[in-house]
Amino acid sequence: MVITSAQITALVGGLLWPLFRIGALLMVAPVFGARMVPTRIRMGLGVAVTVMVLPLLPPPPVVDIFTLKAFMILAQQVLIGVVMGFTLQLVISAVVTGGQIVAMQMGLGFASMVDPQNGTQTAVVSQFYLIVVMLTYLSLGGHLVMFEVLVDSFKTMPISEHGMGPESFWQLVTWGNQIFSGAVGMALPAIASLLMVNFAFGIMTRSAPQMNIFAIGFPLTLLMGFVLILITLPNVVPYSTSLFNEAYHLLRDLTAGAK
């Protein structure tokens, strides 16, 4: 049995190029890319997913690993995976930003804790929304849709030294406004309601200056904020699901538009 260097190169490249795209996605994607997930777990999951989807992928190009062309292919695969994971992270950022807006309006902006997803300090209300959205994302199979889009990307954007162009990045930057529009859309009922509450407290202060508005207003605003969270919580799930669907449509456009 004779094994040539070309066969070894084809075998290694067939596993290596998809692994870099899949591994880059898992390093950035929601849930899998969280700081609390060890790097070894993500690497092992990347290898396992690569081995499972390898029969579904088109044959990769046969390129010598230690060449400039191979380096360009590697860079493109990492870039594609990072862009796909970053697009989904924009939805998470919209949810966190919406929770921070609600927390600031109800007077809980000072109450913060460590975000296990990003490793930063965020408002407790943001963490509550984030947990609800991530559980919904997993229960509805959003991670499975992510892997489906990933596998389809190997067919629409084959492994080569050519990948995403400037127009794809501009499309991603343009879609980044979803962080702000999505956050405002999710927090708008609470913003409008708490604004009316603060407006009512302002009228009370003008009509009764001797009243200690801080001793009365802060607990009532806090209580009203919790009531609004309870009332508007059923709308957070479909709204976040809609954002994830838009993100997946964007990923298909990005991977299908590159030549």
Side-chain angles (χ1 to χ4, degrees), residues 52-75:
M52 286 188 293
V53 304
L54 201 57
L56 305 175
L57 305 182
V62 179
V63 182
D64 191 358
I65 299 178
F66 302 102
T67 59
L68 179 61
K69 184 177 181 180
F71 176 78
M72 294 298 297
I73 294 176
L74 186 150

Side-chain angles (χ1 to χ4, degrees), residues 89-107:
Q89 282 289 354
L90 291 179
V91 180
I92 302 300
S93 299
V95 173
V96 173
T97 305
Q100 290 177 342
I101 294 175
V102 175
M104 293 297 294
Q105 291 293 320
M106 63 184 293

Side-chain angles (χ1 to χ4, degrees), residues 159-237:
I159 298 173
S160 67
E161 68 272 20
H162 304 291
M164 293 185 174
E167 65 281 355
S168 299
F169 291 103
W170 180 251
Q171 187 177 1
L172 178 61
V173 171
T174 304
W175 196 82
N177 59 17
Q178 294 292 334
I179 296 179
F180 305 102
S181 62
V184 173
M186 187 181 69
L188 190 58
I191 294 175
S193 301
L194 292 175
L195 180 62
M196 296 301 298
V197 172
N198 292 327
F199 183 71
F201 284 142
I203 296 176
M204 292 172 57
T205 304
R206 295 291 295 176
S207 59
Q210 68 276 11
M211 181 182 300
N212 189 351
I213 195 62
F214 292 102
I216 301 175
F218 181 76
L220 289 179
T221 303
L222 194 62
L223 179 61
M224 188 63 181
F226 284 123
V227 172
L228 289 172
I229 291 176
L230 180 62
I231 295 175
T232 60
L233 190 60
N235 296 326
V236 174
V237 173

Side-chain angles (χ1 to χ4, degrees), residues 123-136:
V124 176
V125 178
S126 297
Q127 285 298 301
F128 175 71
Y129 280 130
L130 182 59
I131 292 173
V132 172
V133 170
M134 294 311 300
L135 291 177
T136 304

Side-chain angles (χ1 to χ4, degrees), residues 109-169:
F110 63 89
S112 60
M113 62 180 295
V114 177
D115 180 9
Q117 175 72 26
N118 302 312
T120 57
Q121 291 281 342
T122 57
V124 176
V125 178
S126 297
Q127 285 298 301
F128 175 71
Y129 280 130
L130 182 59
I131 292 173
V132 172
V133 170
M134 294 311 300
L135 291 177
T136 304
Y137 174 76
L138 294 175
S139 62
L140 295 179
H143 57 298
L144 301 179
V145 179
M146 179 187 70
F147 288 122
E148 180 183 357
V149 175
L150 175 63
V151 174
D152 291 341
S153 70
F154 285 99
K155 302 175 183 177
T156 58
M157 184 181 294
I159 298 173
S160 67
E161 68 272 20
H162 304 291
M164 293 185 174
E167 65 281 355
S168 299
F169 291 103

